[in-house]
Amino acid sequence: QVQLVESGGGLVQTGDSLRLSCAASARTFSDYAMGWFRQAPGKEREFVAAISWGGGNRNYGDSVKGRFTIFRDDAKATLYLQMNSLKPEDTAVYYCAADNIRRRTWGYAPRESHLYESWGQGTQVTVSS
């Protein structure tokens, strides 16, 4: 499995911005679809955003569309999530995930958590009112 380490979480105020990073161990990082998910206490894991290998396609959860942006730097083997206009409802542990098959169909960026093989340990994001 690809080793993933999230960072960049913290405590921010409503309306603030934050950028999360996910460092990957695989030298073939660029060949995998990647995603961000989040989980608040007592709630199910929620899809946030995904990006295809090559970066040609992106998908977003309805609750974050227009506020969050997913992007990748393949040279640095790092996935990012830019979060703007943060709300208290965004408070959760954010997880980075990687697909397990290289170079899937162009544009593949799934919303379903079970389609990802590797997961990071998570980074806490807390948004105060």
Side-chain angles (χ1 to χ4, degrees):
Q1 292 187 352
V2 178
Q3 302 296 313
L4 303 172
V5 179
E6 301 96 335
S7 62
L11 175 63
V12 297
Q13 300 181 75
T14 297
D16 208 345
S17 296
L18 202 60
R19 179 176 291 184
L20 305 183
S21 298
C22 173
S25 63
R27 291 190 295 272
T28 54
F29 167 80
S30 63
D31 294 345
Y32 298 97
M34 301 289 295
W36 285 100
F37 294 79
R38 67 187 184 186
Q39 189 166 22
K43 296 185 178 181
E44 295 294 313
R45 189 178 302 177
E46 177 187 13
F47 171 72
V48 176
I51 186 168
S52 62
W53 73 267
N57 188 40
R58 299 182 179 93
N59 288 315
Y60 295 95
D62 290 340
S63 63
V64 306
K65 187 174 295 184
R67 298 188 298 120
F68 291 10
T69 302
I70 186 172
F71 61 101
R72 62 196 300 160
D73 187 335
D74 289 339
K76 296 181 178 179
T78 302
L79 178 74
Y80 300 94
L81 183 69
Q82 178 66 45
M83 304 183 293
N84 298 327
S85 301
L86 283 163
K87 307 173 181 179
E89 306 92 271
D90 296 318
T91 296
V93 177
Y94 283 70
Y95 297 93
C96 172
D99 192 11
N100 67 320
I101 297 178
R102 297 170 58 190
R103 299 182 179 181
R104 287 189 186 265
T105 301
W106 187 260
Y108 179 81
R111 297 168 175 265
E112 300 84 1
S113 62
H114 69 90
L115 295 177
Y116 295 88
E117 177 71 15
S118 300
W119 294 82
Q121 83 290 344
T123 185
Q124 176 72 47
V125 173
T126 302
V127 185
S128 63
S129 300

